[in-house]
Amino acid sequence: MNIILKTDIAGLGYKNDTVIVKPGYGRNYLIPQGFAMMATDSNKKIVAENIRQAAHKAEKIKTEAQTIAEGIGTMTLTIPAKAGDSGKIFGRVTNTQVAEALREKGFDIDRKKITVEDIKTLGTYEASLDLHKDVKHKVKFEVVAAE
């Protein structure tokens, strides 16, 4: 089943992308929730016209994302976490904590655009930032024992 996405959906695609999904997923979830529409010829023409009209705005958004990525650069964040003597963390470090650390540095990035691997020990790790369709960035962070 071909559909056109109305919003960005992680693991599936970005707004205005035409993707192929299983019929049940499209009919029962994506379309009723307003996340997608059928990829008919008329809908494709409407989306193409919307893309053409929004090209300038999209370029501005991409430039802003690149500016944020350059601002973050090779910055290393420090995230405190409660840990035992062996260096194992009580709980885990999540994308919310990385978003908070970035916010403290002056970068307001939605936690849903941050991907963090499963972290259970102290050390240095890397998080992926999905700032824009064409702008991906990695930020290093260090998990240290909280006092």
Side-chain angles (χ1 to χ4, degrees), residues 18 20 26 30 32 36 57 75 93 111 117-118 124 128 137 144-145:
T18 302
I20 298 172
L30 295 174
K57 184 178 178 184
M75 175 188 306
V93 176
R111 66 178 174 81
E117 61 188 66
D118 195 27
T124 304
S128 299
H137 190 68
V144 297

Side-chain angles (χ1 to χ4, degrees), residues 9 17 28-29 76 79 81 89 105:
I9 299 178
D17 283 354
N28 298 327
Y29 178 69
T76 301
I79 299 177
I89 296 173
K105 298 285 186 178

Side-chain angles (χ1 to χ4, degrees), residues 88-89 91-95 97-98 115-127 141 143:
K88 188 171 180 182
I89 296 173
R92 66 178 61 186
V93 176
T94 63
N95 56 354
Q97 291 163 302
V98 175
T115 306
V116 180
E117 61 188 66
D118 195 27
I119 298 168
K120 295 184 179 180
T121 58
L122 300 176
T124 304
Y125 298 94
E126 212 170 50
F141 63 95
V143 180

Side-chain angles (χ1 to χ4, degrees), residues 42-53:
S42 61
N43 283 344
K44 288 179 184 178
K45 288 178 185 175
I46 291 169
V47 168
E49 181 63 22
N50 289 344
I51 290 172
R52 189 185 66 75
Q53 290 179 0

Side-chain angles (χ1 to χ4, degrees), residues 17-146:
D17 283 354
T18 302
V19 295
I20 298 172
V21 296
K22 292 190 176 184
Y25 183 49
R27 249 192 336 268
N28 298 327
Y29 178 69
L30 295 174
I31 293 172
Q33 293 293 323
F35 297 144
M37 61 183 159
M38 294 292 294
T40 61
D41 290 337
S42 61
N43 283 344
K44 288 179 184 178
K45 288 178 185 175
I46 291 169
V47 168
E49 181 63 22
N50 289 344
I51 290 172
R52 189 185 66 75
Q53 290 179 0
H56 178 69
K57 184 178 178 184
E59 187 61 35
K60 182 181 175 193
I61 292 170
K62 181 179 176 182
T63 305
E64 288 174 1
Q66 288 174 334
T67 305
I68 291 172
E70 290 169 4
I72 293 172
T74 58
M75 175 188 306
T76 301
L77 305 171
T78 303
I79 299 177
K82 289 184 180 179
D85 294 334
S86 64
K88 188 171 180 182
I89 296 173
F90 301 128
R92 66 178 61 186
V93 176
T94 63
N95 56 354
T96 306
Q97 291 163 302
V98 175
E100 281 296 320
L102 283 167
R103 195 168 291 118
E104 289 173 8
K105 298 285 186 178
F107 299 101
D108 191 23
I109 297 174
D110 185 21
R111 66 178 174 81
K112 295 175 186 167
K113 297 184 181 237
I114 300 172
T115 306
V116 180
E117 61 188 66
D118 195 27
I119 298 168
K120 295 184 179 180
T121 58
L122 300 176
T124 304
Y125 298 94
E126 212 170 50
S128 299
L129 306 178
D130 187 11
L131 301 173
H132 183 268
K133 182 177 183 176
D134 300 326
V135 181
K136 313 281 189 260
H137 190 68
K138 295 206 181 279
V139 63
K140 291 187 181 199
F141 63 95
E142 186 175 359
V143 180
V144 297

